[in-house]
Amino acid sequence: MPTVKVDGVEIEVPQGATVLQACELAGKEIPRFCYHERLSIAGNCRMCLVEVKPGPPKPQASCALPAADKQEIFTNSPMVKNAREGIMEFLLINHPLDCPICDQGGECDLQDQSIAYGRGHSRYDENKRAVTEKYMGPIVKTVMTRCIQCTRCIRFAEEVSGVEEIGAIYRGEDMQITSYLENAVKSELSGNVVDLCPVGALTSKPYAFEARPWELRKTLTIDVMDAVGTNIRLDSRGRQVLRCVPRINEDVNEEWATDKTRHAIDGLVRRRLDRPYVRVNGKLQPASWDEAFAAIVAVNAGSSVAAIAGDLVDCETMYAAKALLAKLGSTLLEGRQTGMAYDTSSLAAVNFNTTIAGTEDADAILLVGTNLRWEAPLVNTRVRKAIKKGAKVFAIGPETDLTYKVEWLGDDLALLGALPDGVTKAFEGATKPMVIVGGAAMKGGHGAALALVETLGLIKDGWNGFNVVHMAASRMGGLMLGYAQKGGIADVMGAKLGFFLGADEVDYTQFAGFKVYIGHHGDKGAAAADVVLPGVTYAEKSGTWVNLEGRVQRGERAVFAPGDAREDWTILRALSEAMGATLSFDSLAGLREAMYAAVPALRDQALVRFDWQVPANDTKGEGTLAGYPIKDFYLTNAICRASPTMQRCSAELLHGEDFAEAAE
């Protein structure tokens, strides 16, 4: 490893490290605008200049200079200080004095670095250049006069999201960043360019002029829009969540978040259920809690009671419902509300065993019935990284754009038993082979996909290449808590009383019994229910979720729920008393202790390792994949469907509707 001196302190740095990385290892802060740890090196802002000996007697860009043995690096010499002041002066030549009205104000790299490294005044008195605004869609707001051409957004679009619709036109002082033909950027990850932009050129359109960062209360929690378990921070003021941004977690989401994660939050305050309702003469009427409970008790269903968990539910709610059913003598629990029925006798056989981060190391990947770009976008970005390292990707299913090169084999699940020679050869030479099975293939292809563990050699020392992609945040936690019947949801549809825990995707016409909906939005479930009990969203409760790789994570409450809405577990606790089957806990801590006793793996926030066992399933792949489970990426749950931003994204980006922009 090379040994370098940084401001007189000698350190060892990894082979291939840059001078900038060496300085950071030595604890020195190096200013930068264009450099980003997860993007390729551009070296065009020149803010990271340092003095290096031996070398030319001038400052050099540390982000693009490899660290070499016996180098001496100076980060605070007069030459470096003068160079940084000059660079900052150049960057501010055309930058408008927008700070009081700029949404980036208070968390702007340009503000911070101009204070720390700038001169304090400018000698430039010519007119500033102006650039017309660009249109990038319903998520990203542009004020391109502020742009300093760091090109982070361009590199992100090309390297991470894979939707190369942002680029630069013209040259020199006339250079402008724009989307292709100034159309909306059709990427489900486009909102990340707002976080990447070091100035106020790209800001969040739904959040524009809403708040200043110092006004907001920040809460660390977990996203529930998909099963990835993205680590997020909810910024709230009063009783409303105004912004959602990702937190860094290298094992899960790195530092990215999907547009749905970021911007479905405006659905948290719309179409909310804020009081109980009871159906009288075919119509839902407002009622008190006592009246609602009395209507449920009057059903007198005995042990014919079922609980169906929705996609966004936390483990605490599911455990409370399970405990209530156990008191009533029932085990009718199901979480796969859309009708999927696969073998859950081995949780390893329905888990993402490679882990999300491990996907990057795969060298041969077979996708089976999964549109990974919509079902788990942040797993899709890991597949892109694996391809950059040389991995080959094959897929069985209807052809779709996954943002990378895929060899499509067809849409017949029988292919699982007779893979083409090119696929078997690629897997024979692979040291870390990987199969990813999606929801579309679980019915007719689960057993056949499991058979590939032997035929393709997916399990090696320290490596398990068999993976299942779930789309619901509650799915793995539900399976750990026993929310699965052998025949799927069909096995619980005959119950006399059904508790629907935020389950909005169920076919309610198949359930003839008394329907109790415990949820937070007036969506499909509330419309079909006989009794509606107002619950809370993920932003309004502390909860535990398990992501698709079996990682247990906890989120905290950011705001309080509206009206009479209550946390789901407290509703079930109060209801248990009314039904004469009082639950043993009366606090969240007590509930969690009971839940940990039942499922010890839920106690620690860590990756759960399931013992590898292959269920004895039919290994013949049957059926043709006509499509994928997710038909509209932006409208997958009740919160999204209540969100004006998600509705517009769906209408514009997926269905091609035009939206006129007001002149400014």
Side-chain angles (χ1 to χ4, degrees), residues 197-253:
C197 184
V199 296
L202 304 177
T203 54
S204 170
K205 189 173 283 186
Y207 176 69
F209 309 123
E210 287 288 336
R212 286 300 194 186
W214 54 84
E215 301 173 341
L216 303 175
R217 185 174 66 251
K218 298 169 175 59
T219 308
L220 309 184
T221 189
I222 304 299
D223 173 55
V224 297
M225 295 297 144
D226 57 25
V228 171
T230 302
N231 288 221
I232 57 173
R233 190 189 78 213
L234 295 179
D235 293 350
S236 57
R237 184 176 60 196
R239 298 185 71 165
Q240 184 173 352
V241 175
L242 295 177
R243 183 169 66 167
C244 172
V245 293
R247 292 184 284 137
I248 296 177
N249 187 324
E250 299 294 348
D251 295 325
V252 182
N253 57 296

Side-chain angles (χ1 to χ4, degrees), residues 320-333:
K322 179 181 180 179
L324 175 58
L325 262 64
K327 286 269 188 179
L328 297 172
S330 173
T331 58
L332 294 176
L333 305 168

Side-chain angles (χ1 to χ4, degrees), residues 423-503:
V423 180
T424 53
K425 285 181 181 177
F427 274 81
E428 280 172 11
T431 56
K432 292 187 175 180
M434 186 175 183
V435 169
I436 303 177
V437 184
M442 289 299 281
K443 184 178 180 182
H446 189 207
L450 281 165
L452 296 177
V453 171
E454 292 295 328
T455 56
L456 296 181
L458 299 181
I459 296 181
K460 304 178 184 294
D461 287 342
W463 179 264
N464 186 334
F466 182 81
N467 304 281
V468 170
V469 174
H470 298 298
M471 293 153 277
S474 64
R475 187 60 43 80
M476 278 306 294
L479 294 178
M480 291 169 71
L481 286 163
Y483 272 73
Q485 300 293 311
K486 190 171 184 181
I489 199 167
D491 284 2
V492 306
M493 284 306 202
K496 293 179 182 177
L497 174 61
F499 293 110
F500 294 86
L501 311 174

Side-chain angles (χ1 to χ4, degrees), residues 177-197:
I177 307 295
T178 180
S179 59
Y180 179 65
L181 297 180
E182 292 194 31
N183 288 333
V185 178
K186 294 182 179 177
S187 168
E188 60 285 344
L189 298 170
S190 65
N192 290 293
V193 300
V194 172
D195 289 349
L196 286 172
C197 184

